[in-house]
Every structure is written in C-alpha cells, then in structure tokens.
Amino acid sequence: MTTTSPPGTRATTATPLASEADLTLTVSAKEHLTDNVVRLTLTHPSGADLPAWSPGAHVDLVLGPDLVRPYSLCSDPADAARWQLAVAREPDGRGGSRFVHEHVAEGAEIRVRGPRNNFPLVPSPRYLFLAGGIGITPILPMLAEAQHRGADWQLVYGGRDRSTMACYEELREGYGERVSLRPQDEHGLLDLERLLGAPQPDTLIYCCGPEGLLQAVQEHCADWPAGALHVERFAPKSPAPNAPNTRDEPFVIELARSGRTVEVSAGQSALEALEAAGVPILSSCREGTCGTCETGVLSGTVDHRDSLLAPEEQAAHDAMFPCVSRAACPRLVLDL
C-alpha cells in the first residue's frame, strides 16, 4: 500500500523490529462481500481491546515465514473489540490473497502486526473520495470520520460491475446522495474530467484503486494545489516514461546509533544487506508500497524507487524504503 501525501504529514522514523504491535488474533468471522472479496473480523482471544487506529491505517497479516501482506482496516476505529479487513482474490497476485481465501478459516488464529497509517485523513472542510474496486476499503472509515467532523464530502466509487463492488448496498443505503456508485458496465469509466477538471477550493482528494485509475487521477490533478491529492497504491507504480536510468552500484550504509557499517552489493537490496548483518527492521511487501520499512536518512542522497513518497518528500532525502531504494552516493548514514 502506498501513498502520496502533502508535505509535512509524514512522520519519518526508523522502524526497528520492536516498535510494532505483534498480536495473535482470532478470525471470529469470515464473510463473502462479493464473489471475489472476503471480509475478516479479527478479535483478541482473551476479549481484550485492540490497539487504537485511525482511518487509512492498515495491518500486516503474517501468513507464513515469507508471506506477509498489508491490508487496510475498514471497520469502525471506535470499536476497540474488533478489526475488520477485506481481501480481494487476485489470481495473478503473489499468493497472499489466495492464501486468505483458501486457507484462513473462521476460528483460526492469525498473527497480525500493526496498525500503521501512511494514508491519514488530513482535516479539511471538503473531501472528494474516489475509489476503484477493492480500493474502497481504506475509504470506508474515512467516510464515517468525515461525516463525524461535519465536513462536506462526496464519494465516487467505480468497479467492473455491481457484483464486484464490496459494500455496494451498504454505501447506497447508509449515505444516500453523498455516494455515487458507478459500475463500469452501466456507466463506463469514471468521468474524471467532470470531477477534477477545475480545482476546487479547500478540497482534498483521496483516491485508492487500480494503477490505471490512480495514474489518470494524478494526471487530472496536475493543476490542483500541491498537497490536495492523496493516493494509496496496492502495487508499485509504473516508472515515469522520462525517468532516468538507474544502476545498482554498491554502496555503504553507516548505522548512526552504533557506528557500524554495512556494505550493500550490486543486485542486493539495502534491506537484504541490513538483515544479513543482523539489523532488525520490520518489512512486509518488499516492493516499496506498504511503508513498513521506512527508515530515517541522516546523511547522503537516496536513489528513491518507492511508490510512497511525493516528489517534494523524495527531494528532502531524509527518509528511504530500503526494500527498494538505494544510494545515489557512495555512503548513506541511516537512523538505525
């Protein structure tokens, strides 16, 4: 899951292994929202409250030694007794969604890490929410929060057809005219020119969905004020057509807290080198989308290859995601 956020909203911190909640929870319910989407309800085996979270947050499901996947929380943050998340089956994915659909059963225990939030709902008098397919999941708690804040808001939600759109009826019945449901087989693609063609004052846009939708929304928001658009990705973004070629040159990482140095060879990720050196860093997606391994940079220039940081955040060179990003200089000093 990746996000683009306005300047100043990201808290840049190193993520040593002990900094996250690590829980074993019970799958108290598993229900089909559509033919290809299941919703899991997770509770503590003892009935204890779960850690607090805010709209836009996600957790990691630890499905196996090498199978860790992030999923957005889509329940009510005020309900401390349970977490809910929805998982769309991706036949061509990397196996996480297939495992959840086929092997995670009601009553099972599952290891969960988090929550963490790289997609926070920034206060605003007005919001436009755009969702495509399973991208509705992080948006759901945002709608309730925007309503609670008394903000003016609108949701436009698209999908291939009604049968693929999770919570279709719940949204229509719960929010009325604030929600525009646009199945593609009935209405075609979302009319982004009408929605985004003219920048609106005091309005933030929150968008989550497939890469095609995200890229189209970003293009249509080119004339909006900086920081107006917030997006979250479930997969790495495509490189820009004019992106410079990068080479996997070796470099050295200096660990500021211990003074140790770690060499990163060509073809090896910084995260792999740190792990091999016994430096504990949380990681999940390993493709620069979830934000789990975000690490502070104290000195050096980063070759950013993530799908999270906005251009102005990348230009600051004060954070990196070592699962994909590298050094654009011989030596990086990290806050580890």
Side-chain angles (χ1 to χ4, degrees), residues 24-225:
T24 298
L25 302 181
T26 300
V27 181
S28 57
K30 180 180 182 180
E31 54 191 315
H32 283 269
L33 299 181
T34 71
D35 290 343
N36 74 322
V37 177
V38 294
R39 180 166 59 194
L40 303 182
T41 299
L42 307 177
T43 56
H44 198 284
S46 70
D49 285 350
L50 300 177
W53 60 282
S54 57
H58 66 273
V59 295
D60 289 339
L61 298 188
V62 183
L63 305 171
D66 298 310
L67 193 61
V68 181
R69 297 291 183 268
Y71 295 104
S72 297
L73 292 171
C74 58
S75 46
D76 180 0
D79 185 357
R82 65 176 185 166
W83 286 342
Q84 288 185 320
L85 50 88
V87 180
R89 185 183 183 115
E90 301 290 348
D92 299 324
R94 297 180 298 140
S97 66
R98 184 169 61 251
F99 187 94
V100 169
H101 277 251
E102 297 178 1
H103 301 293
V104 176
E106 188 170 319
E109 291 191 338
I110 189 167
R111 185 180 168 199
V112 184
R113 293 197 313 232
R116 70 185 68 90
N117 198 342
N118 297 315
F119 193 41
L121 186 66
V122 177
S124 176
R126 186 176 297 107
Y127 300 96
L128 172 60
F129 298 104
L130 302 172
I134 197 60
I136 191 63
T137 51
I139 301 295
L140 288 171
M142 292 185 178
L143 305 182
E145 179 64 19
Q147 190 95 327
H148 174 72
R149 294 178 184 178
D152 182 17
W153 64 269
Q154 176 189 8
L155 167 68
V156 182
Y157 176 25
R160 289 194 305 274
D161 55 61
R162 296 188 185 200
S163 69
T164 65
M165 297 171 66
C167 304
Y168 185 98
E169 296 299 331
E170 294 177 29
L171 286 166
R172 185 176 66 175
E173 295 173 3
Y175 293 111
E177 294 183 357
R178 286 184 180 269
V179 173
S180 177
L181 302 168
R182 312 294 290 180
Q184 185 175 342
D185 63 338
E186 299 176 28
H187 302 281
L189 297 175
L190 299 185
D191 188 352
L192 297 181
E193 180 58 33
R194 179 182 65 83
L195 294 166
L196 303 171
Q200 300 299 311
D202 300 321
T203 301
L204 295 183
I205 304 161
Y206 277 78
C207 181
C208 187
E211 183 62 20
L213 172 64
L214 300 183
Q215 289 189 1
V217 168
Q218 289 179 313
E219 291 170 5
H220 279 82
C221 286
D223 295 329
W224 283 67

